[in-house]
Amino acid sequence: MGWNSWNSFAVTITEAQAIETARIMAEKLLPAGYSIFTVDHQWYDPRAKGYDYNADIVPVMDAFGRFQPDPVRFPSSAGGKGFAPLAAQVHALGLKFGIHRMRGIPRAAVAANLPLAGTSYRARDIADTNSICSWNVDMYGVDMRKPGAQAYYDGVFAEYARWGVDFVKVDDMSRPYDAHAAEIEAIALAIRRCGRPMILSLSPGETPVVRADHVRRHAEMWRISDDFWDDWKLLEAQFTRLENWSPHIGGGHWPDADMLPLGRIAMGARDTKFTPDEQRTLMTLWAIARSPLIMGGDLRHLDAATLALLTNRAVISVNQASSGNRPHFVADGTRVWSARAEDADRYVALFNTSDTIRRVALPLREIGMPASASARDLWTGGPAMTMRDTVARDLPPHGTALLKITPEVAL
């Protein structure tokens, strides 16, 4: 659970904006469990400009070809301090500090053939100039068959450990996944060697389900889709992806349906286009499927309704502490999930994905409940209702119900 700068600032976030946001996060969201504060892409580009990348980037690097924060946008990084001062401020607020990086080695380091820290090798010795990202020009891939390749990644993550980084979102990992598997393994190994625990988040999707065993061995979370934004069709598509990934949920490893584009987004251009019902559906699906909850909206404009949506403790408990999470069936215009609570109760999420009011139901026997049970709505917090044989609700278009089901004891 946390916050990421992409939906709000693209690649333009500054140190002042980061500190302001982190303070709001610590006050408003940390009490509900949102603890990871992440600076997303291109913090090393002095000319970063929104959601478009520069084709002629001149990044800030050290003598070993490792990206450094732009000292104009991040003044505390001057003098080789990197993100250590900002990370210390974030930690002082009770938060963890995360950063984004691209797979590979900077093209600028290869052009200059810079030495690799702690080795006798240079950037050209390990670069795979045929391995490039289709949408970003910052990096070449690293040929992990070459001497010095693992040492390069070890040096990068050793520096992140010195900075105090707790979370690393590594991008350009899944297209195609198998071609990048050796670098995924190398990054995971570098994290184990760096001396500081770090969560490894792989991005973007689509990570293939057939590689579930591999990705679970090497990462704590991995994207299952391209960038997710505030469009109903994108949300509707996430149902199928999360259903496909449901056998691989848990044990400290999480299929990631991407950030929550809620509140003010897109560099202040708009509020989320999701309706209130769609926002609740989004949070319910992420909760019952145990996707990471990473807020993307601008916390400086956090309104009461969005705050309430993000901090419903009963819903967060489903995301953080349920088990056996699984879909039950797919019917035209409806979806149903269930999960086990920490006690003998069950959670049931009912979804109406159609454009008309629809009744969505699940027989109680399918979740191991007796013919009579009570259901409490976790969103409204209203009084429990008795259900006979079936848990059912009439739902608005694109609407949801998230219920906690308790067996009724016969007198």
Side-chain angles (χ1 to χ4, degrees):
M1 296 175 65
W3 179 86
N4 178 291
S5 62
W6 178 254
N7 290 153
S8 297
F9 296 97
V11 297
T12 68
I13 191 169
T14 66
E15 183 168 357
Q17 291 166 336
I19 293 170
E20 181 182 10
T21 301
R23 287 172 177 163
I24 298 168
M25 179 178 170
E27 176 187 355
K28 301 290 188 180
L29 296 183
L30 180 60
Y34 294 83
S35 61
I36 302 170
F37 176 90
T38 302
V39 173
D40 208 275
H41 201 188
Q42 287 196 327
W43 35 266
Y44 45 82
D45 183 1
R47 296 183 296 124
K49 54 174 186 180
Y51 292 104
D52 296 321
Y53 300 113
N54 291 311
D56 56 346
I57 182 174
V58 182
V60 181
M61 298 187 299
D62 68 6
F64 301 107
R66 296 177 297 197
F67 287 142
Q68 302 295 303
D70 169 27
V72 175
R73 290 163 56 202
F74 300 93
S76 69
S77 70
K81 299 184 184 70
F83 270 130
L86 178 56
Q89 292 191 70
V90 170
H91 291 153
L93 293 168
L95 302 171
K96 297 178 181 178
F97 182 68
I99 59 173
H100 172 288
R101 71 158 285 124
M102 297 293 294
R103 173 186 66 89
I105 186 168
R107 295 189 192 187
V110 176
N113 202 23
L114 295 177
L116 306 180
T119 79
S120 59
Y121 300 102
R122 289 183 172 270
R124 292 177 191 167
D125 295 326
I126 67 167
D128 180 354
T129 57
N130 293 314
S131 178
I132 60 175
C133 177
S134 63
W135 45 267
N136 179 268
V137 301
D138 296 1
M139 313 292 266
Y140 290 125
V142 173
D143 186 341
M144 295 311 303
R145 299 168 298 181
K146 297 293 184 64
Q150 183 64 52
Y152 162 72
Y153 272 123
D154 289 351
V156 168
F157 282 85
E159 180 170 58
Y160 294 168
R162 291 192 294 271
W163 288 353
V165 172
D166 306 295
F167 176 101
V168 183
K169 174 183 173 182
V170 184
D171 217 332
D172 187 35
M173 279 304 196
S174 302
R175 296 196 185 103
Y177 184 90
D178 288 353
H180 303 157
E183 287 188 82
I184 293 172
E185 294 169 10
I187 290 168
L189 177 58
I191 289 173
R192 292 196 297 273
R193 289 176 170 177
C194 78
R196 182 179 181 85
M198 293 182 197
I199 295 169
L200 174 57
S201 169
L202 301 181
S203 182
E206 296 181 358
T207 302
V209 178
V210 294
R211 294 294 179 260
D213 289 344
H214 184 272
V215 75
R216 284 176 57 87
R217 286 199 305 273
H218 299 291
E220 283 70 43
M221 51 189 277
W222 55 93
R223 285 270 299 281
I224 62 172
S225 73
D226 287 334
D227 286 1
F228 175 75
W229 282 95
D230 50 332
D231 181 291
W232 170 252
K233 292 298 183 184
L234 296 179
L235 176 51
E236 190 175 25
Q238 297 298 64
F239 279 93
T240 299
R241 294 188 179 99
L242 288 166
E243 287 158 2
N244 291 339
W245 275 102
S246 62
H248 308 288
I249 295 169
H253 306 276
W254 313 104
D256 177 14
D258 203 9
M259 293 171 288
L260 304 168
L262 299 171
R264 185 72 54 83
I265 57 175
M267 300 182 67
R270 66 176 189 272
D271 291 331
T272 184
K273 292 184 289 187
F274 284 134
T275 68
D277 284 325
E278 290 168 350
Q279 292 177 50
R280 190 173 283 188
T281 290
L282 165 62
M283 287 295 295
T284 300
L285 179 59
W286 266 234
I288 197 73
R290 301 202 69 183
S291 177
L293 297 179
I294 309 296
M295 171 59 170
D298 191 336
L299 300 187
R300 300 172 304 171
H301 302 279
L302 186 62
D303 61 277
T306 304
L307 179 61
L309 188 75
L310 291 169
T311 58
N312 182 307
R313 292 186 180 275
V315 175
I316 289 172
S317 292
V318 179
N319 178 264
Q320 294 290 298
S322 62
S323 60
N325 309 69
R326 71 183 190 90
H328 278 265
F329 60 83
V330 177
D332 289 345
T334 67
R335 294 298 220 275
V336 177
W337 279 68
S338 76
R340 291 190 296 271
E342 292 182 283
D343 48 26
D345 294 348
R346 296 290 187 272
Y347 297 117
V348 172
L350 307 173
F351 300 96
N352 175 11
T353 57
S354 77
D355 295 329
T356 60
I357 296 173
R358 182 164 296 197
R359 187 170 183 81
V360 184
L362 179 72
L364 286 168
R365 65 177 181 274
E366 290 201 19
I367 55 172
M369 285 285 160
S372 181
S374 63
R376 184 168 62 87
D377 190 313
L378 300 187
W379 281 115
T380 65
M385 302 167 289
T386 297
M387 298 284 178
R388 303 291 185 189
D389 298 317
T390 300
V391 53
R393 293 290 295 273
D394 294 319
L395 298 176
H398 303 179
T400 187
L402 182 56
L403 307 170
K404 188 174 186 181
I405 311 299
T406 302
E408 291 191 341
V409 179
L411 298 177

